[in-house]
């Protein structure tokens, strides 16, 4: 996705590590992303950046998220908004959606779930103009919107962990990834040396992908890690 067509995401949260994490993952997806740590900063950023979608924390140091949304709408900006908050009460959820929010996610949250929600909101609000995110390596195809994986004409059924590992390998192909990189990205926490879990999931993926004489796509690079690509001719 080039910069002319990349999704523009504004992340508004007064906790810098959260805002930066979401923005970093979005950029990894090929999106453009900027952050703001307050309501006033968010309104300025919205005017300058013209985002396609906004992640908006309800609890900000100056204006609350509802006020920010009201001002965006009052200024004519109909950009979709996904609320992000530590509040988990039903009343807050209803208030967020009735005030014009498009979705609502409670902290702590999975960044992968947030990105999936953002794609779903964009697909719903953009309609036919929304460009599907599809990864392809050789005859292996992964649709990030439907989470459907196919090897040639065959549909491949994967567990959530297998899907995330395969998605990471495909997004980084043909880069060789270390076990530590895979653990950090797929599991998002330290396994305390249990890196054999990567070997186990890789083995499961190979059994599901390399059937009926299909050419192996996941290769072990001894002393380094794993890579997904066609074998050199």
């Amino acid at each position: 996705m080039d910069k002319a067509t990349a999704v523009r995401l504004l992340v508004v949260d007064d906790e810098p590590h959260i805002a930066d994490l979401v923005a970093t993952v979005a950029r990894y997806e090929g999106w453009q992303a900027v952050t703001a740590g307050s309501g006033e900063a968010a309104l300025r950023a919205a005017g300058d950046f013209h985002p396609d979608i906004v992640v908006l924390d309800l609890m900000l140091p100056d204006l609350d998220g509802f006020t920010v949304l009201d001002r965006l709408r009052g200024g004519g900006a109909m950009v979709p908004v996904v609320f992000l908050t530590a509040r988990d009460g039903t009343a807050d959820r209803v208030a967020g959606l009735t005030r014009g929010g498009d979705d609502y996610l409670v902290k702590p949250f999975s960044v992968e779930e947030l990105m999936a929600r953002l794609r779903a909101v964009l697909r719903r609000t953009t309609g036919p103009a929304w460009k599907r995110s599809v990864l392809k390596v050789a005859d292996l195809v992964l649709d990030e919107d439907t989470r459907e994986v196919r090897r040639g004409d065959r549909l491949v059924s994967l567990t959530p962990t297998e899907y995330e590992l395969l998605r990471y390998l495909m997004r980084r192909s043909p880069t060789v990834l270390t076990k530590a990189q895979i653990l950090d990205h797929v599991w998002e926490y330290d396994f305390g040396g249990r890196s054999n879990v990567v070997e186990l999931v890789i083995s499961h993926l190979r059994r599901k992908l390399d059937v009926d004489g299909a050419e192996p796509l996941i290769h072990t690079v001894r002393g380094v890690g794993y890579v997904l690509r066609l074998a050199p001719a």
Side-chain angles (χ1 to χ4, degrees):
M1 185 180 293
D2 59 41
K3 287 189 175 181
T5 60
V7 174
R8 297 185 302 276
L9 170 67
L10 171 59
V11 185
V12 186
D13 198 301
D14 62 340
E15 297 181 72
H17 67 284
I18 293 179
D20 290 342
L21 174 61
V22 174
T24 297
V25 172
R27 292 178 190 124
Y28 177 75
E29 299 271 345
W31 295 12
Q32 296 182 55
V34 298
T35 64
S38 68
E40 293 291 353
L43 293 170
R44 289 193 298 271
D48 294 337
F49 185 55
H50 303 292
D52 297 309
I53 192 164
V54 178
V55 172
L56 179 58
D57 187 14
L58 275 181
M59 301 177 69
L60 297 169
D62 49 1
L63 312 174
D64 64 29
F66 292 144
T67 301
V68 173
L69 179 60
D70 288 344
R71 291 197 184 180
L72 285 173
R73 295 288 186 258
M78 300 310 294
V79 57
V81 170
V82 174
F83 282 119
L84 189 65
T85 180
R87 302 174 181 175
D88 59 359
T90 301
D92 287 318
R93 293 173 185 260
V94 172
L97 297 176
T98 57
R99 291 280 284 270
D102 295 272
D103 204 347
Y104 195 112
L105 195 61
V106 177
K107 299 178 182 178
F109 61 94
S110 159
V111 179
E112 290 294 341
E113 180 184 359
L114 175 60
M115 293 304 300
R117 298 255 191 131
L118 293 174
R119 286 193 291 269
V121 169
L122 284 168
R123 190 164 58 248
R124 185 171 68 244
T125 57
T126 306
W130 169 246
K131 184 178 180 181
R132 302 182 72 84
S133 179
V134 177
L135 306 178
K136 185 174 182 180
V137 177
D139 63 344
L140 179 64
V141 179
L142 183 151
D143 188 321
E144 293 184 296
D145 291 324
T146 65
R147 298 178 71 90
E148 185 176 89
V149 176
R150 288 185 176 275
R151 182 81 197 265
D153 296 329
R154 183 174 57 87
L155 184 65
V156 181
S157 178
L158 301 178
T159 67
T161 300
E162 291 166 352
Y163 172 87
E164 291 301 338
L165 199 160
L166 179 63
R167 178 173 176 268
Y168 185 43
L169 288 171
M170 292 183 73
R171 275 198 162 273
R172 296 297 301 275
S173 177
T175 302
V176 178
L177 302 172
T178 66
K179 289 181 181 179
Q181 287 176 305
I182 293 171
L183 282 171
D184 287 344
H185 185 88
V186 177
W187 281 269
E188 297 182 352
Y189 58 90
D190 185 4
F191 257 70
R194 289 171 51 196
S195 61
N196 62 319
V197 70
V198 177
E199 298 172 9
L200 181 63
V201 179
I202 288 287
S203 176
H204 290 168
L205 275 174
R206 283 171 167 157
R207 286 201 298 269
K208 292 183 177 184
L209 296 177
D210 304 338
V211 299
D212 300 327
E215 181 176 354
L217 291 178
I218 301 176
H219 306 280
T220 301
V221 180
R222 293 191 179 279
V224 183
Y226 300 95
V227 60
L228 190 146
R229 65 187 177 203
L230 284 172

